[in-house]
Amino acid sequence: MTNSISTRVAILGSGPAGLTAAIYAARAGLAPIVIQGIQPGGQLTTTTDVENYPGFRDVIQGPWLMEEMQAQAEHVGTKIVWDHIAEVDLSRRPFRLSGDGGTHYFADTLVIATGAQAKWLGLPSEEHMKGRGASACATCDGFFYRGKRVAVIGGGNTAVEEALYLTNHSHDVTLIHRRDSLRAEKILQDRLFAHPNIKLMWDSEVVEFVGGGEPEALVGLDVLNKLTGEITRVPVDGAFVAIGHKPATELFASQLELDEDGYIKVELGTTRTNVAGVFACGDVMDKIYRQAVTAAGTGCMAALDAEKFLASMEFEALAAE
């Protein structure tokens, strides 16, 4: 038999954005449902040390932080559902969401907090060194490499911005790019080329993340020169992959307005999408900051926007009677 669940607020995603939206919506008496998706807790569950989330003087663990957020959301009245949404229909309200297991969810409002995944090179050694020197976020992890040698892999705006940011912590930053020119904006390139602590490796491709020591940590990168075929070992303590992010918006491609990179477009200063009653928060709509604290902030905004929307709908319904 097909199971059906109705809710005033359905939230897709259980990272900082989704769980913060749930906390605010639950405290407003809206009894939200959070559908966790394929990565419960979001990207923070794959992060070890977190030192930049407000309220904690000591380093905390990403998985622990998400467990606490979920416990808080449940404590104030959120229902957490383990399911993966395979199909959505946003053509009319209540919106219909179909889960993998056959459950249908009917929601008066929908908060999308499905996030974005960093793109990686796909090397087995890269996967092995994640959390041991391989990272996809200099803003998150650069602080841990103060005074150490670091590398950034990529050639777009993000890569150049991360290389420049890392000079706040390191005197030895290498940017590794597979082509002979950068794709970043000219003003960023000018700043990069002028910085004395940044070296560039052109026409170069990382082929191996090299670990060593006890406990094991990143000690270098094997870099292939695509013109000569020569492989050079570059000694580094941290390597930041900055080749872009992919927002989880496949479900909404034909129903919501997306930008050229696939992120959900929202009305400036709000979380409102082009479909009334649908709100987007966190990394699925934020391609610039991509921090846990900014995701939580937009999650709060989404819940408040949803609450106002429901209140206005109820007022109009009463006025029509």
Side-chain angles (χ1 to χ4, degrees):
M1 292 180 60
T2 301
N3 187 27
S4 295
I5 298 175
S6 296
T7 180
R8 300 184 74 191
V9 182
I11 301 169
L12 292 185
S14 53
L19 291 177
T20 303
I23 291 166
Y24 274 80
R27 284 176 53 80
L30 300 177
I33 291 176
V34 170
I35 304 169
Q36 290 195 312
I38 59 176
Q39 189 178 12
Q43 292 189 73
L44 270 186
T45 58
T46 65
T47 302
T48 51
D49 293 347
V50 175
E51 202 169 27
N52 57 3
Y53 198 86
F56 304 95
R57 72 174 72 184
D58 296 319
V59 175
I60 59 174
Q61 299 298 299
W64 176 85
L65 178 60
M66 298 319 303
E67 288 172 5
E68 291 297 301
M69 281 193 186
Q70 179 173 328
Q72 183 181 5
E74 291 179 303
H75 177 72
V76 293
T78 300
K79 181 179 180 181
I80 306 290
V81 177
W82 293 73
D83 203 350
H84 176 252
I85 299 303
E87 186 178 348
V88 298
D89 181 359
L90 306 181
S91 62
R92 61 185 182 277
R93 295 178 56 243
F95 306 120
R96 175 172 170 158
L97 298 80
S98 302
D100 271 345
T103 301
H104 296 302
Y105 304 87
F106 295 90
D108 294 328
T109 57
L110 174 63
V111 173
I112 301 171
T114 48
Q117 293 290 330
K119 295 178 182 178
W120 294 85
L121 300 176
L123 300 170
S125 58
E126 172 191 57
E127 181 68 28
H128 178 69
M129 297 309 299
K130 286 181 181 178
R132 306 178 190 182
S135 171
C137 181
T139 310
C140 311
D141 299 330
F143 183 77
F144 299 112
Y145 297 93
R146 288 165 293 177
K148 298 184 178 181
R149 300 163 300 186
V150 296
V152 177
I153 302 161
N157 282 350
T158 299
V160 173
E161 287 169 351
E162 297 219 329
L164 289 166
Y165 171 81
L166 285 167
T167 60
N168 295 318
H169 305 295
S170 171
H171 63 283
D172 189 346
V173 180
T174 301
L175 182 68
I176 302 170
H177 186 41
R178 60 181 178 173
R179 298 190 177 94
D180 60 359
S181 61
L182 300 174
R183 292 176 287 108
E185 297 171 1
K186 186 177 185 303
I187 188 170
L188 289 174
Q189 294 192 44
D190 291 343
R191 289 175 58 199
L192 182 88
F193 297 147
H195 204 291
N197 295 339
I198 300 177
K199 303 187 295 286
L200 288 104
M201 294 185 70
W202 301 109
D203 298 304
S204 297
E205 184 177 323
V206 175
V207 294
E208 189 79 13
F209 287 69
V210 182
E214 185 61 44
E216 187 181 21
L218 187 71
V219 297
L221 299 171
D222 284 349
V223 180
L224 169 69
N225 184 301
K226 298 175 67 177
L227 300 182
T228 66
E230 180 183 1
I231 294 179
T232 302
R233 178 157 298 179
V234 180
V236 295
D237 303 289
F240 297 87
V241 180
I243 57 175
H245 286 73
K246 179 177 173 54
T249 53
E250 295 87 351
L251 278 174
F252 317 107
S254 62
Q255 303 184 67
L256 292 178
E257 189 175 357
L258 309 179
D259 71 7
E260 65 277 5
D261 297 314
Y263 289 82
I264 297 176
K265 284 188 176 182
V266 295
E267 184 180 325
L268 185 64
T270 78
T271 63
R272 294 193 291 266
T273 70
N274 64 304
V275 174
V278 178
F279 309 91
C281 56
D283 289 6
V284 79
M285 48 75 77
D286 170 23
K287 66 166 71 173
I288 299 175
Y289 301 105
R290 294 193 294 264
Q291 300 297 301
V293 68
T294 52
T298 57
C300 164
M301 293 167 59
L304 296 177
D305 286 343
E307 181 187 3
K308 290 176 184 177
F309 176 83
L310 289 169
S312 67
M313 292 297 99
E314 290 168 1
F315 178 80
E316 291 177 9
L318 287 173
E321 291 180 356

